[in-house]
Amino acid sequence: IENPKSIIVIFGATGDLAKRKLFPSIYRLYKNGSISKNFAVIGVARSPLSNEDFRANVTKSVQSAGSTNEVEEFSSHFYYQPFDVTSSSSYQALKQLMGTLDGDYNTDGNRIFYLAMAPEFFGTIASNLKAEGLTETSGWKRLVIEKPFGRDLPSAQKLNSELREAFDESEIYRIDHYLGKEMVQNIEVIRFSNAIFEPLWNNRYISNIQITSSETLGVEDRGRYYESSGALRDMVQNHMLQMVALLAMEPPIKLNPREIRSEKVKVLRALRPFSQDEVDDYFVRGQYSAGLMDEKEVKGYREEKSVDPDSNTETFVAGKLLIDNFRWAGVPFYIRTGKRMAAKSTKIIVQFKDIPMNLYYNRGEKVEPNLLVIHIQPEEGITLHLNVKKSGKDISTTPIKLAYSSSSIDGINTPEAYERLIYDCMRGDMTNFTHWDEVALSWSFIDQISQAWESTKAYDFPNYESGSMGPKKADELLQNEGTHWWPVQ
Ligand code: BG6
């Protein structure tokens, strides 16, 4: 296949995401030959930078991601255009520059507009791109959009209809960077390419599934954004529900975006809704207090920069999701995520049901259930927990682990999520981007919870110490059902 050619316009080119993720990812694609030399990047943002300043920023960002080879040559593909998102002349200047670079780099009129900036401008930019004629091109055009995609269903619908004025659904690439992670992509492969899992992957053999995504960082300098978001919108609406959908979906009839997305949509449609009064039976919210992390004293959430000293914003969420369909009826999916927790770790633990009759004991205790652990990060791999005979005279069992770690294979350097996603977008593969139907269904599920939480103040905030695994109530959520969170550390 021919390598993709395109002009990539990055809105928000002086921002954090561009610097930390986008420039280094485009560099790696360039270095490993995944994109042809026929590409140019136009950075736009408010500040008045020259092309040279911008290229120096790009060079620095790539170097601080650890690369030095051919960086100058790479940076020469980058151009800068000072930009005011509301001014017609900005769009005209951009249009002209695109036209010139199209010729210089032979990009066949292909254009990616990458919105990596404050979400309040997403709609304005899309409609101006159309009004000013930037969406008319002889090649393809694609819009890549970062989160947050709205903050509830009505705002997401409004944003979506603004985007749809200028771009077709098949041209809108909504980023969920978890879908670019190696082991998130592996969920489907593990499920659908192994004869030993798929027959057991249902309510007859699975007792529950636990998904934990814990972080050690606090809100850092994102207080302003986070105050209007909270962990529910920041992590659950997108990343956590996407993982649930991949774990629970039916096998797609083909590996194409349409079929895969439609199976995911069915899972989201089957999520059991609840009333405002029932929210507490299913979901727990938390907020971190000061504490010790790595032997250093860290601040509580309410003491962080740009955070209300009386904030009601949750920095932790745990929940129980039920999927009302034939495969999953009665199997809880437990999720939890939070900031300032004991470890940075994303893991999925599939707990199988106990064997029907216990013939053996493990030091006098019941044998352990079988677990399949999918390690998303920082380690990447899978572990299967089994029971074997303990060596010696007694017939007693001992738990063992069969483990595969993809990060420990020599010479394999799994690409960063953004690297994959940018590449997929350039090739026009939408599989690992969220369809509007998924976004809409996720918001309608999340809205039931956020409405309840916003209308009643959390009386116990802050309720977990920095460096812990969250509030006690999150443990009780599972204890009440006779189970517990499996350790993720
Ligand atoms: C982002 C959230 O989407 O995901 C952040 O906005 C969070 O608050 C981040 O820190 C976590 O991503 P990762 O890849 O480090 O698990």
Side-chain angles (χ1 to χ4, degrees), residues 208 281-282 320 322 330-332 334 475-484:
N208 67 78
D281 301 336
Y282 289 87
K320 173 175 85 168
L322 294 173
V331 181
Y334 299 112
D475 296 334
E476 289 162 1
L477 184 72
L478 275 66
Q479 276 157 19
N480 294 342
E481 311 208 337
T483 178
H484 59 84

Side-chain angles (χ1 to χ4, degrees), residues 147 177-178 181 215 222 234-235 239 339 344 377:
K147 59 177 278 237
H177 78 282
Y178 267 55
K181 291 185 192 282
E215 295 188 75
R222 294 162 79 218
D234 189 48
M235 292 290 292
H239 313 320
K339 301 232 178 249
K344 169 82 180 164
Q377 60 187 22

Side-chain angles (χ1 to χ4, degrees), residues 235-433:
M235 292 290 292
V236 182
Q237 181 269 335
N238 39 37
H239 313 320
M240 304 300 280
L241 288 184
Q242 284 292 325
M243 289 190 279
V244 169
L246 290 168
L247 286 162
M249 72 183 200
E250 294 301 312
I253 56 173
K254 279 212 178 77
L255 283 187
N256 66 30
R258 200 177 83 167
E259 300 304 338
I260 294 174
R261 286 158 142 199
S262 95
E263 295 305 339
K264 285 164 69 191
V265 162
K266 280 195 230 157
V267 173
L268 298 171
R269 279 216 296 265
L271 285 176
R272 180 180 303 176
F274 30 78
S275 68
Q276 298 280 296
D277 304 339
E278 291 171 321
V279 169
D280 287 348
D281 301 336
Y282 289 87
F283 272 79
V284 168
R285 54 179 156 167
Q287 188 190 69
Y288 62 82
S289 64
L292 271 186
M293 306 225 26
D294 269 344
E295 293 166 26
K296 275 211 299 279
E297 187 66 38
V298 298
K299 284 187 200 156
Y301 178 69
R302 290 178 175 183
E303 285 92 58
E304 302 272 18
K305 204 167 63 197
S306 318
V307 169
D308 178 352
D310 194 29
S311 177
N312 194 39
T313 303
E314 78 287 351
T315 61
F316 173 98
V317 175
K320 173 175 85 168
L321 281 70
L322 294 173
I323 298 170
D324 289 327
N325 65 17
F326 246 73
R327 187 187 283 263
W328 294 116
V331 181
F333 283 65
Y334 299 112
I335 58 168
R336 67 179 163 165
T337 180
K339 301 232 178 249
R340 284 280 190 240
M341 292 173 65
K344 169 82 180 164
S345 168
T346 304
K347 278 195 179 61
I348 295 165
I349 300 180
V350 179
Q351 178 178 345
F352 292 89
K353 286 192 171 164
D354 290 339
I355 39 172
M357 192 176 112
N358 226 5
L359 293 173
Y360 303 105
Y361 289 89
N362 165 24
R363 287 192 230 114
E365 301 283 326
K366 256 177 44 181
V367 298
E368 297 271 329
N370 295 129
L371 304 179
L372 172 68
V373 184
I374 305 178
H375 307 261
I376 311 279
Q377 60 187 22
E379 327 81 70
E380 298 182 332
I382 55 175
T383 311
L384 186 60
H385 294 223
L386 305 173
N387 297 299
V388 299
K389 180 180 171 301
K390 194 165 179 208
S391 56
K393 291 192 290 305
D394 312 342
I395 307 233
S396 170
T397 68
T398 188
I400 56 125
K401 296 174 185 174
L402 301 184
Y404 160 74
S405 154
S406 75
S407 37
S408 64
I409 296 177
D410 248 7
I412 296 213
N413 196 352
T414 58
E416 260 242 49
Y418 273 96
E419 185 180 335
R420 264 181 233 278
L421 295 175
I422 294 170
Y423 182 58
D424 284 353
C425 171
M426 292 187 86
R427 289 184 310 142
D429 182 345
M430 309 192 86
T431 313
N432 292 310
F433 295 84

Side-chain angles (χ1 to χ4, degrees), residues 1-261:
I1 326 164
E2 211 189 326
N3 279 337
K5 310 169 169 182
S6 176
I7 291 182
I8 308 175
V9 184
I10 300 179
F11 292 83
T14 51
D16 198 48
L17 182 76
K19 208 164 45 198
R20 277 188 315 115
K21 302 283 185 191
L22 306 185
F23 303 152
S25 299
I26 301 172
Y27 172 78
R28 278 191 300 273
L29 290 172
Y30 168 81
K31 277 300 291 173
N32 63 29
S34 306
I35 54 176
S36 68
K37 307 237 157 167
N38 302 49
F39 80 96
V41 177
I42 306 177
V44 308
R46 243 182 329 212
S47 25
L49 296 186
S50 66
N51 283 343
E52 286 64 41
D53 297 335
F54 184 50
R55 287 174 190 164
N57 289 351
V58 172
T59 304
K60 214 162 86 198
S61 127
V62 172
Q63 283 168 343
S64 50
S67 318
T68 47
N69 211 343
E70 284 180 53
V71 183
E72 296 296 324
E73 155 65 17
F74 170 74
S75 303
S76 74
H77 289 251
F78 284 67
Y79 297 80
Y80 187 78
Q81 173 81 53
F83 205 81
D84 169 355
V85 295
T86 57
S87 127
S88 161
S89 60
S90 285
Y91 291 88
Q92 287 309 318
L94 176 60
K95 187 173 167 187
Q96 204 172 8
L97 181 57
M98 285 197 304
T100 314
L101 296 179
D102 217 8
D104 294 352
Y105 289 90
N106 279 320
T107 49
D108 293 350
N110 298 334
R111 290 162 187 190
I112 293 176
F113 298 100
Y114 197 124
L115 307 189
M117 58 182 313
E120 55 264 38
F121 301 120
F122 290 168
T124 314
I125 296 173
S127 54
N128 284 331
L129 286 175
K130 170 155 178 152
E132 302 289 341
L134 281 77
T135 52
E136 282 156 35
T137 172
S138 54
W140 46 252
K141 61 175 195 298
R142 295 178 187 144
L143 181 78
V144 181
I145 181 160
E146 281 289 335
K147 59 177 278 237
F149 200 94
R151 68 183 306 276
D152 52 19
L153 182 59
S155 58
Q157 274 164 332
K158 178 166 175 287
L159 170 59
N160 199 51
S161 55
E162 287 165 352
L163 303 181
R164 290 295 305 275
E165 298 272 311
F167 293 88
D168 189 69
E169 173 65 30
S170 64
E171 297 172 324
I172 304 176
Y173 289 69
R174 298 178 193 79
I175 294 251
D176 183 316
H177 78 282
Y178 267 55
L179 297 182
K181 291 185 192 282
E182 174 75 8
M183 290 307 294
V184 173
Q185 297 190 351
N186 221 326
I187 296 172
E188 270 174 78
V189 184
I190 294 166
R191 287 190 54 196
F192 303 132
S193 70
N194 290 296
I196 61 165
F197 294 130
E198 195 43 34
L200 307 183
W201 210 261
N202 55 49
N203 53 9
R204 267 166 292 159
Y205 299 102
I206 290 180
S207 144
N208 67 78
I209 295 186
Q210 305 183 4
I211 310 173
T212 299
S213 192
S214 59
E215 295 188 75
T216 50
L217 290 180
V219 283
E220 310 293 292
D221 43 17
R222 294 162 79 218
R224 204 174 68 89
Y225 152 74
Y226 204 80
E227 277 285 273
S228 69
S229 161
L232 188 67
R233 293 185 173 96
D234 189 48
M235 292 290 292
V236 182
Q237 181 269 335
N238 39 37
H239 313 320
M240 304 300 280
L241 288 184
Q242 284 292 325
M243 289 190 279
V244 169
L246 290 168
L247 286 162
M249 72 183 200
E250 294 301 312
I253 56 173
K254 279 212 178 77
L255 283 187
N256 66 30
R258 200 177 83 167
E259 300 304 338
I260 294 174
R261 286 158 142 199

